[in-house]
Amino acid sequence: MNQIISAGSKDSEANAKKRRSAEAALRYVEPGNVLGVGTGSTVGHFIAALAARPGLVRSAVSSSEATTRLLQAAGIEVLDLNEVAAIHVYIDGADEATRARHLIKGGGGALTREKIVAAAAQRFVCIVDDGKLVGTLGAFPLPIEVIPMARELVARAIEARGGRPVWRRECVTDNGNHVLDVHGLSIPDPCALECELNQIAGVVTVGLFAKRPADVLVVGTATGTETI
Ligand code: 5RP
């Protein structure tokens, strides 16, 4: 019983930190901006904060079907990236982040569209709770989206590089693909690994965001936020 209570309070602490970072990210949004919006529970707090400021943002490019539903429920029009000249700011969470603003993303399986929207954005503001800040990436299993027919081919290539890929069986991405979560990696050079893994045939997207890192990291803490 005690364990359940303490796990719950730890969760709600992390949740409060996520909310703080999400609300602080509003200061990067200017009236009339076209936003890019990521996916996940931290982004859920951000969309709730946007909904409380009607008229601030009228339209956004979404990174997933789940986020599209939340944006539409908040009265924000969802635009096709192909019809948008510029995304002023992209707001998204992460699973791990370093002070160099390199990220692991894809815990929610939306990494491909997230990487596309991040690439299209003038500014990428990443919102995380301080439990996700690490010295070296890799304790969180690295998500890799793969073409389904290449899943085992990619898995073998990753094993040969010392990783332990686990197929996320319950997950089919919004793009109809599979996800491998790669355990056992320590990632001292995220740019190099991102480039290397991108070369494996069948890999759609590697959940390392290092070649295009976040421009700003807003970290929710117990008492406020830290901006990196
Ligand atoms: C989804 C992601 C999310 O940003 C990441 O999983 C963090 O999620 P949460 O805010 O729920 O902790 O990359 O693909």
Side-chain angles (χ1 to χ4, degrees), residues 189-220:
D189 188 345
C191 283
L193 187 66
E194 183 178 0
C195 291
E196 186 187 336
L197 296 179
N198 271 331
Q199 303 309 312
I200 301 172
V203 167
V204 177
T205 301
V206 177
L208 281 168
F209 285 52
K211 280 174 50 154
R212 199 290 180 237
D215 299 307
V216 180
L217 194 58
V218 181
V219 183

Side-chain angles (χ1 to χ4, degrees), residues 18 39-43 92-95 105-111 114 132:
K18 288 180 182 193
T39 299
S41 56
T42 317
V43 164
D92 197 0
D95 299 298
K105 290 186 46 53
L111 61 165
E114 290 173 341
K132 292 174 171 177

Side-chain angles (χ1 to χ4, degrees), residues 63 109-117 145 175 177 204-205 209:
S63 63
L111 61 165
T112 295
R113 296 188 190 185
E114 290 173 341
K115 201 172 258 198
I116 293 168
V117 183
E145 181 166 345
N175 315 302
N177 294 320
V204 177
T205 301
F209 285 52

Side-chain angles (χ1 to χ4, degrees), residues 148-217:
M149 72 171 282
R151 191 187 62 242
E152 289 307 309
L153 179 73
V154 174
R156 286 194 290 275
I158 286 168
E159 277 165 359
R161 287 165 171 81
R164 191 162 46 81
V166 176
W167 176 21
R168 200 186 298 178
R169 283 179 183 268
E170 75 287 1
C171 172
V172 175
T173 70
D174 286 347
N175 315 302
N177 294 320
H178 290 177
V179 174
L180 295 172
D181 293 307
V182 184
H183 298 246
L185 294 176
S186 170
I187 309 174
D189 188 345
C191 283
L193 187 66
E194 183 178 0
C195 291
E196 186 187 336
L197 296 179
N198 271 331
Q199 303 309 312
I200 301 172
V203 167
V204 177
T205 301
V206 177
L208 281 168
F209 285 52
K211 280 174 50 154
R212 199 290 180 237
D215 299 307
V216 180
L217 194 58

